Structures are given as C-alpha cells and as structure tokens.
Amino acid sequence: MRPSILRRLFRRVASTAVLGLLAATLSTTAAAQPAAAAGGLQQITGFGSNPGNLQMYAYTPAGLPANAPLVVALHGCTQTANAYYTNSGWPKFADEWGFAVVFPQTTSANNSLSCFGWFDPAEDTRGRGEAASVVQMVEYAKQTYGSDGRRVYVTGLSAGGGMTADLLAAYPDVFAGGSVASGLPAQCATSQAAASGCQTGPQKLTPAQWGDKVRAAHPGYTGPWPRVAIWQGTADYTVYPANATALRDQWTDVWGIGQTPASTDALPGNTTRSIYNDASGRPAVETYSVSGMGHGLPVNPGTGAQQCGTTAAYFLNAVCSTYYTGVFWGLDGGAPGGGGDGLPAPTGLTVIGTTDTTASLSWNAVPGASSYAVLRNGTKVASPTAGAYTDTGLTAGTAYRYTVAAVDASGGAGAASVQVTATTTGGSAPATCYSATNYAHVTAGRAHTSGGYAYANGSNQNMGLYNVFVTHTLKESPAGYFVIADGGCATG
C-alpha cells in the first residue's frame, strides 16, 4: 500500500479519538451526508488539482457584478457545505451586498468526523493539502466569477475556524480578512496528539510567541495582514474560551498593536464587542464574546436588516455574526475596518542601529504621504515627515516592536507596515545559557513550535525538529530573547 494511502487511513482512524470533543454532542441527525445542490448552491468540479481531496460548492447571486468580493465559508465537524449554506446567513447578505460565496466541503474520506485538518501540517500549511485546495477554489472564483482578488475573505466554525486561522497565516497574500467562530489559533496544534489539548486549553504563550506562529507560516511576507474577527461563546466547553484570548493575542501581535481594546460596546444577544485599532485608528482585530452561548455559530433568525440564519445543530440563536462580520470586512460598501481606503503600507522598514537608549529606523517613502505614524509596542510615539526616525529614552537591553503607517494630508493613516524588533544594547543583567533538548526548551518556555519544528523565542531561529533527540544551547539576553549558541555561550 502506498505511504500516502496509509497516512490517510491513519488520520481517519486516529482522528475519532482526538477530535471527538468537536462533535461529541452532535445527534445522529447531524451526521455528515453529501451536500445537495439546494436552491442556489451548486457543486463545482474541475477547479484544480485538489491536493486536499475537498469538494467545492458555490453560491453566486443573480446579476453578480465583476470585481465583487468573495467569501469562503468552512463548515464544522460532521457538517456539510449545504448545512452552512442553509443556516449561516451568508446567502442573504450575498444577495443584498453583491458577492459570491464558496463553501468547501471535506468528507469522511479525509477525516472520520468530516473535520478540516487544522492540526495537520500536511493539510493546513502553505501549498499543501486542504489549504492548497481552498486557494485553488479562490483562483477558480476569480477566473470564473470575476471575483476581486483584493477582497477575498474566509470564515469558519470550530474545525473550520481552526482551518480559517491557518489559512490566514499561510496565505495573508490571498485573504484580506477572516472570521474565526469557536475556533483555534493558527498552528495551535501540529499533530493529532496535540489537537484535543488546544481545544480545552491552548498553550500559555505570550502574544509574541503566538504571533511568531503566524509569521513562520509564510516567512518573508511583507504585505498587509488580514483583519480578523473572533467569535466565542462564554459557555463553550468544546473549544474553550481561552482560544479566543489566544487568537486575540496572536493577531494583535501580528498587527503590532496592544492587547488593550480601543473600545468596547454591547450588541444583541448578550454580545460584547471589543475593538483593537491599527495605526490609522481603524479596527484590525475584533472579538465578540457571547455570554452564555455554547459551541456554535451565532445566528439570529428573522427578517430584520441585522438578522440572519436558521437555528440548527451548532447554529445558535444569539446574534447574526454574519452581519457584523460582513460590516467589519466592508462587504456592505463601507471600507474594511470602518475607515477610508488609506495609503499603502510602507515597505522596507528596517532597524538601522541601536544604542543603550535609542533605536533608529528607516523605511521606503510612500507617494502621497505627508507624514508617518510610528508605533512602538502598539502605541504611537512619533509623526516624522521623512522615512526615518530615531526613538529615544529607551531602556538598555530591551526588545521593542515597531510598525509604521503612512498618513495623508487630511490626517488619514493607511495600512501598517510589517513589524520589526529592535533590541537596545547594554543592560546590567548578564546573559544566561541553557542546554537542553528541543522538547525541554519548549516546555520551559524558551522556545515554541510550528509545523513540527522548534523556534527560539525572540529570535525565532529554527532549532530543528520538535523532539527529545535534538539538543541546543540557547543564550538569553535580554530577558525573553533567545538565540542559538551551540558554539559557545559567553555569559558576561
């Protein structure tokens, strides 16, 4: 038997125990069945080489204009594309606002519970498996429906939410925004053995460590990051609320903004929205906490402008999450995040020098910019008019995170640049060295994992496979910043 077939069989058998939490309370009536082409939902074949063995379904409203947005909607375990089409509310707003919706479907041929493989590097990483199949569906929609490649969004529930986060990390050049409902942080688990642990309580990582998992998914990426909405019920005991906190930490760090919301407000269905703004003051990350709701996608049946969906297994009556997600993305005709179109993100942000108390930055000029907003650790610290700035009054031996956004003559800031880290020199605390296996380094909080590999915290250096057989010496200086020092570790 071919190795690929053996791996597929292993995933089908082992996943039942590992992913049972995601479907433990489903009734037999919710068991996965082939999706019917109900109403306007149509199955699409021949959309690509389909390395992830997925099925593609799509809904395209009548009179869909060229260059319309595209939404990709991923179902949860034991569900189907048809269930998501029928109950989520996306067709209503596709009709009202004018965009196409693609509903990928996985089956028991991939996973015994029909879960997307959010925990499997063979399925959820760039260019591989199910993730690559979803991107092929996007390309098909762009070619066939004329979808605007700059306005492609992805949303998902539960395992589909975990895959959504992985897709946003692996393909930030494809997706302008995402929405994770009762889901998991990107690359929370990289094996089936670790999947259930993520569901009940993800690793206690710092925001930077969570952000590193995203940055490692597409190394070298310098473009804008997706805007991310996070939906979570406070009484979810299948995918615990700690995952929403980890998702918030992960994506605010990627954006280079802090974990304190710029504002909070109350929405229908006992829902609290917290908004985390980018450098221009536009929402980059939003969290929606639904008090008392269990595991599922919030819907709110009715004919009101802000109502949608149908209640069913794991479609829970609270608030129309689809409406608020669509507005957040700008599908209603507003700008993404609620602001203006803005200037493009500055490129080439570089740390050109540090001292004990200063960090000097430079970046490429943006046409039309009258000034720039410089953010240190998510807080604006300066508004220089040229593509360079020296930050002063810093603490010796300390790491600082910076992003820059261009500002136009009216005061509107554009998209933020890629984040860079500057570490000041000096500091009285001597370096500390640790020699241990990669497994021990991760367990002790000196390193983290992504895609089956261990990475040093701070420097993000690849340490090799995450196991007990590979040993490295790590040097810590300043606190929390580790570099590989196998050739010798001076502690002075």
Side-chain angles (χ1 to χ4, degrees):
M1 187 177 288
R2 290 182 297 170
S4 61
I5 297 176
L6 285 171
R7 287 194 298 269
R8 184 73 68 185
L9 286 173
F10 174 78
R11 283 197 291 269
R12 290 180 63 187
V13 174
S15 62
T16 300
V18 175
L19 296 174
L21 285 170
L22 286 176
T25 58
L26 276 177
S27 68
T28 56
T29 58
Q33 300 292 333
L41 185 67
Q42 299 296 324
Q43 184 170 8
I44 309 298
T45 59
F47 58 85
S49 60
N50 194 16
N53 191 34
L54 299 182
Q55 297 172 4
M56 176 181 178
Y57 292 82
Y59 176 69
T60 53
L64 182 70
N67 296 316
L70 174 68
V71 172
V72 178
L74 301 169
H75 62 76
C77 292
T78 78
Q79 293 181 325
T80 62
N82 186 46
Y84 220 72
Y85 166 83
T86 301
N87 300 304
S88 66
W90 281 110
K92 170 183 176 176
F93 295 107
D95 289 338
E96 290 185 6
W97 295 338
F99 57 88
V101 189
V102 165
F103 295 89
Q105 178 172 288
T106 189
T107 68
S108 58
N110 282 7
N111 178 279
S112 61
L113 296 176
S114 297
C115 303
F116 288 101
W118 59 271
F119 53 87
D120 187 349
E123 302 294 350
D124 67 1
T125 53
R126 188 175 178 90
R128 303 184 71 186
E130 294 175 353
S133 290
V134 170
V135 172
Q136 288 181 355
M137 296 179 196
V138 171
E139 290 303 314
Y140 177 93
K142 289 162 61 177
Q143 295 296 322
T144 306
Y145 312 136
S147 299
D148 184 353
R150 300 168 301 173
R151 293 187 292 164
V152 179
Y153 307 90
V154 60
T155 181
L157 166 65
S158 193
M163 180 61 81
T164 292
D166 290 337
L167 285 165
L168 293 172
Y171 293 99
D173 51 337
V174 173
F175 298 103
S179 179
V180 181
S182 297
L184 300 306
Q187 296 301 318
C188 182
T190 55
S191 70
Q192 291 184 350
S196 60
C198 281
Q199 291 165 217
T200 57
Q203 294 173 291
K204 292 179 173 60
L205 302 181
T206 66
Q209 290 169 333
W210 281 119
D212 285 346
K213 289 180 178 289
V214 172
R215 289 181 281 269
H218 186 21
Y221 176 70
T222 59
W225 292 105
R227 298 181 187 273
V228 182
I230 301 158
W231 292 86
Q232 181 72 47
T234 63
D236 188 341
Y237 303 115
T238 300
V239 175
Y240 279 37
N243 286 280
T245 301
L247 277 159
R248 179 208 63 186
D249 289 353
Q250 183 171 67
W251 289 101
T252 52
D253 180 78
V254 166
W255 273 85
I257 56 183
Q259 285 73 55
T260 300
S263 63
T264 60
D265 59 351
L267 301 180
N270 296 316
T271 303
T272 300
R273 174 172 56 185
S274 299
I275 300 173
Y276 302 81
N277 290 337
D278 64 14
S280 68
R282 291 185 233 158
V285 177
E286 293 189 350
T287 63
Y288 300 79
S289 178
V290 187
S291 179
M293 190 184 78
H295 187 65
L297 181 75
V299 297
N300 186 15
T303 59
Q306 300 179 9
Q307 291 182 291
C308 72
T310 304
T311 56
Y314 294 98
F315 294 94
L316 307 179
N317 191 0
V319 60
C320 176
S321 58
T322 298
Y323 169 81
Y324 290 98
T325 295
V327 171
F328 173 57
W329 290 339
L331 296 179
D332 63 337
D341 291 337
L343 295 169
T347 59
L349 179 61
T350 304
V351 180
I352 58 176
T354 59
T355 68
D356 286 5
T357 60
T358 67
S360 297
L361 311 170
S362 69
W363 57 90
N364 297 326
V366 174
S370 60
S371 65
Y372 299 88
V374 179
L375 277 75
R376 180 213 304 141
N377 296 341
T379 301
K380 184 177 177 181
V381 294
S383 300
T385 57
Y389 173 69
T390 296
D391 198 11
T392 61
L394 306 178
T395 301
T398 304
Y400 295 93
R401 297 176 286 110
Y402 292 93
T403 57
V404 177
V407 180
D408 62 26
S410 65
S417 69
V418 171
Q419 178 180 283
V420 298
T421 300
T423 302
T424 52
T425 57
S428 58
T432 304
C433 300
Y434 306 88
S435 294
T437 67
N438 282 354
Y439 176 84
H441 281 309
V442 171
T443 302
R446 296 186 288 268
H448 58 279
T449 63
S450 180
Y453 291 85
Y455 294 84
N457 290 343
S459 68
N460 207 37
Q461 289 178 305
N462 190 329
M463 300 162 58
L465 291 172
Y466 171 50
N467 58 35
V468 297
F469 305 108
V470 179
T471 298
H472 284 294
T473 297
L474 294 183
K475 178 179 179 179
E476 182 182 17
S477 181
Y481 192 93
F482 297 87
V483 296
I484 297 173
D486 293 339
C489 189
T491 59

